[in-house]
Amino acid sequence: MVAMKDLVAFCKRKGFVFPSSDIYGGLNGFFDYGPLGTELKRNVKNLWWKNMVQDREDIVGLDSAVILHPNVWRASGHVDGFSDPMVDCKVTKARYRADQVFYAPISVAGKLLGYICVTDGEERDADIAKKTKALLKAHNCSQEKPDEIHLKPLTEAKPEEFALIPSPATDKPGDLTPPREFNLMFQTQVGAVASEAGIAYLRPETAQGIFINFKNVVDSTRVKLPFGIAQIGKAFRNEITPRNFTFRSREFEQMEIEYFLPADETLWPNLHQKWIEERYQWHLSIGLREEFLSFDVHEKKDLAHYAKACTDIMFRYPFGVQELEGIAVRGNFDLTQHQSCSGKPLEYFDETLKTKYLPYVIEPSVGVDRTVLALLVSAYDEDEVNGEKRVVLRLKPKLAPIKAAVFPLVKNKPELVEKARGLFSRLQKRWYTAYDETGAVGRRYRRMDEIGTPWCVTVDFDSLDNDTYTLRDRDTTQQTRLSEAELITFFEKELQ
Ligand code: GAP
């Protein structure tokens, strides 16, 4: 698997993803997508929208505002409860999410020597070994074997333990502040005069925009339960420790569906399973590697009080197995809250049962940026062609930023250039196509392989005689001779 530092460097070098505000030193947790990243991201969103909305009869789309009435976030519980526990190192001022910091008592033959404390991440195991060794040495026990180490998140530390746990930055007990809740919503002001009354929030999820429009959609369309409302859009979270490139950022995009169904305990388990399977298959269909995908079925005790079930689709990123998509069954908590806080009836009239109720909802929610990152990890490959090393991005053609590149064999033969430019401009009308005449053809192939372009079309001297072109395949490097009509039929079939 590609190492994260290589992927980050590749993304910058090739124009997929840049650190945001790069020339000002960057802004932690924010990213800008470059020319190729923008295309890739757009292709992901378009495909999701096509598959989840346009190809189905039971899901409609929505595009709600980013800033909603602040009461939306009071009703949803975000104002009071959308927070992460935070601790600070008093000495270094480093800030941590308490559930991402781990501690363990270190003892030898049952005698406690002290505690170690490490942060989550690739270096965690190495850190545990290093800190344990240092503690043993400080107690003149270097030759002893420590008892089994049981690591726990800092959020589980008892108050009496807390004073003994060192800061992960200084390794000195007492240097950490006690955990306190930090609300992740970004605040802003609506209106010209800054006041308490003008406080508003950038949405931390797109989902609430869907719930508050539930009645509008039911009243303005012909949807009948079960049906879904889908939305793609930006979400903002003031993450305490944004990290792992775009995986945990402060501004990101979500693709969310709220799939409403009758409030019937017997119905949701089957539909939930169907959604889990459907979303898993979708991830496979866009080219995520099967061996990197898995599930995390949440235990009942870990669910929010209103949730009935939740399964995450997990992906093995270079920094570990992490959530890609959550598929939760949320009962009718959100609609109940909005109905009660707004005072507006939101019930659905069930014509079959001749009764009104607030439907249950299943919520498949996936991050665009995490999907793009998972695609890059799945597609990035290095191999050898004719004894020469190459980087190749094995993206599915549907997702590839550029679908085809047209080359004249050489650039100093006007008749070749003219023919190649003609072909290029006709293909460009249908698909995002590149034109390249610089350098040897082999080098031009490599440039296109590296950014995932599935096909290159070379215009050579035979093309002038018989109107055929060489089509070269990125993955197999095989070449075939095709006419323009055959090329177009081939692309149409492969890209449909
Ligand atoms: N409406 C439900 C919801 O927002 P979530 O698990 O908090 O649930 C859903 O977020 C998805 O959004 C996640 O599975 C992930 O793909 C993406 N996501 C969440 N926080 C993110 C962040 N800080 N950076 C990038 N993507 C994030």
Side-chain angles (χ1 to χ4, degrees):
M1 183 189 286
V2 59
M4 216 42 221
K5 67 172 184 7
D6 295 336
L7 190 63
V8 173
F10 169 83
C11 282
K12 185 166 183 191
R13 193 171 72 247
K14 289 285 142 193
F16 279 93
V17 184
F18 307 127
S20 187
S21 316
D22 208 5
I23 58 168
Y24 289 97
L27 186 59
N28 200 6
F30 296 90
F31 294 90
D32 296 338
Y33 284 77
L36 294 177
T38 306
E39 292 296 329
L40 178 56
K41 199 175 175 205
R42 187 174 287 256
N43 293 343
V44 167
K45 290 189 283 183
N46 286 350
L47 199 56
W48 184 89
W49 193 260
K50 181 173 185 311
N51 296 158
M52 295 299 122
V53 180
Q54 295 171 342
D55 290 349
R56 306 177 55 122
E57 289 183 65
D58 58 344
I59 300 192
V60 293
L62 183 83
D63 190 2
S64 71
V66 165
I67 295 176
L68 304 173
H69 193 293
N71 285 349
V72 170
W73 306 109
R74 291 193 184 100
S76 66
H78 284 80
V79 170
D80 288 334
F82 193 58
S83 54
D84 278 335
M86 175 177 78
V87 289
D88 288 312
C89 173
K90 292 180 229 166
V91 179
T92 63
K93 308 294 174 214
R95 180 156 280 184
Y96 307 97
R97 238 175 81 171
D99 56 342
Q100 292 173 349
V101 175
F102 294 84
Y103 75 100
I106 301 295
S107 51
V108 170
K111 185 172 169 266
L112 180 69
L113 304 184
Y115 284 79
I116 57 160
C117 186
V118 294
T119 53
D120 207 5
E122 280 173 278
E123 306 291 309
R124 194 175 88 169
D125 290 348
D127 247 17
I128 295 170
K130 198 171 103 200
K131 292 185 175 189
T132 305
K133 201 170 158 197
L135 199 60
L136 290 174
K137 190 165 174 219
H139 287 80
N140 295 322
C141 301
S142 292
Q143 304 309 317
E144 315 277 340
K145 192 172 174 303
D147 300 340
E148 202 175 329
I149 299 174
H150 295 289
L151 222 52
K152 283 197 214 162
L154 208 52
T155 40
E156 288 179 21
K158 298 188 193 94
E160 62 273 20
E161 274 181 315
F162 209 83
L164 305 172
I165 297 172
S167 155
T170 62
D171 290 327
K172 282 221 197 80
D175 281 354
L176 281 180
T177 61
R180 58 195 189 284
E181 289 300 317
F182 174 77
N183 193 296
L184 300 184
M185 280 199 295
F186 279 104
Q187 275 192 17
T188 186
Q189 280 285 332
V190 173
V193 184
S195 71
E196 273 287 305
I199 290 178
Y201 305 94
L202 303 191
R203 66 180 175 200
E205 60 170 18
T206 66
Q208 296 305 322
I210 298 181
F211 291 121
I212 58 171
N213 278 292
F214 171 74
K215 200 81 176 89
N216 283 338
V217 173
V218 169
D219 291 347
S220 61
T221 66
R222 292 157 51 83
V223 289
K224 295 271 171 287
L225 289 183
F227 75 90
I229 305 177
Q231 167 153 240
I232 299 180
K234 290 267 186 178
F236 304 83
R237 296 184 188 176
N238 198 1
E239 296 282 357
I240 298 168
T241 45
R243 59 186 169 157
N244 292 330
F245 198 34
T246 54
F247 177 83
R248 189 175 303 289
S249 27
R250 288 177 164 142
E251 175 177 340
F252 55 98
E253 264 183 294
Q254 290 184 314
M255 305 187 282
E256 297 201 289
I257 299 168
E258 301 302 331
Y259 196 80
F260 299 97
L261 59 145
D264 177 338
E265 289 303 324
T266 63
L267 287 178
W268 67 260
N270 260 347
L271 259 177
H272 187 217
Q273 279 314 312
K274 266 183 144 168
W275 268 111
I276 296 166
E277 181 57 21
E278 163 128 21
R279 294 299 307 144
Y280 178 76
Q281 290 301 333
W282 188 80
H283 288 298
L284 286 180
S285 78
I286 63 167
L288 297 196
R289 284 174 46 186
E290 196 172 356
E291 64 273 28
F292 292 168
L293 286 167
S294 58
F295 296 103
D296 177 17
V297 181
H298 292 211
E299 285 186 40
K300 275 252 155 6
K301 68 175 176 48
D302 298 329
L303 295 174
H305 64 93
Y306 51 81
K308 294 180 180 294
C310 183
T311 295
D312 291 339
I313 298 180
M314 311 294 283
F315 184 81
R316 176 137 47 94
Y317 293 95
F319 41 84
V321 175
Q322 297 281 349
E323 176 186 333
L324 165 66
E325 169 155 5
I327 304 161
V329 185
R330 295 175 66 98
N332 53 17
F333 171 78
D334 302 86
L335 288 180
T336 306
Q337 284 296 102
H338 288 305
Q339 175 166 274
S340 127
C341 296
S342 67
K344 299 279 175 350
L346 298 180
E347 285 142 321
Y348 173 86
F349 180 71
D350 190 317
E351 280 162 17
T352 324
L353 299 174
K354 303 280 179 249
T355 179
K356 282 198 276 186
Y357 56 82
L358 291 174
Y360 283 178
V361 73
I362 295 173
E363 180 190 66
S365 170
V366 62
V368 178
D369 312 79
R370 287 191 190 179
T371 308
V372 168
L373 188 56
L375 273 171
L376 289 168
V377 170
S378 295
Y380 187 97
D381 196 9
E382 289 175 10
D383 67 1
E384 245 183 54
V385 174
N386 303 330
E388 203 188 309
K389 274 214 158 99
R390 70 164 180 167
V391 169
V392 54
L393 210 53
R394 300 189 193 278
L395 290 169
K396 292 250 177 186
K398 266 191 275 195
L399 273 307
I402 297 172
K403 307 300 181 207
V406 177
F407 310 152
L409 185 64
V410 287
K411 67 172 177 190
N412 55 2
K413 292 280 177 233
E415 58 279 34
L416 283 186
V417 169
E418 193 191 335
K419 196 156 183 77
R421 293 236 31 116
L423 178 66
F424 162 68
S425 66
R426 290 189 295 281
L427 291 180
Q428 197 193 26
K429 288 197 174 65
R430 311 276 301 266
W431 302 284
Y432 193 23
T433 310
Y435 174 83
D436 188 1
E437 57 180 27
T438 319
V441 170
R443 286 198 58 77
R444 286 183 255 168
Y445 284 154
R446 297 292 171 278
R447 281 204 285 270
M448 288 297 150
D449 293 343
E450 211 179 355
I451 60 171
T453 307
W455 304 291
C456 295
V457 183
T458 304
V459 178
D460 57 21
F461 292 102
D462 287 345
S463 314
L464 299 178
D465 295 336
N466 60 15
D467 279 332
T468 63
Y469 308 96
T470 305
L471 175 77
R472 184 259 194 191
D473 183 276
R474 174 197 68 200
D475 295 336
T476 62
T477 73
Q478 268 172 11
Q479 305 194 358
T480 357
R481 201 87 203 159
L482 295 178
S483 69
E484 183 168 336
E486 287 168 332
L487 270 180
I488 288 174
T489 309
F490 174 79
F491 291 154
E492 269 171 352
K493 184 168 151 273
E494 294 295 314
L495 293 167
Q496 72 184 346

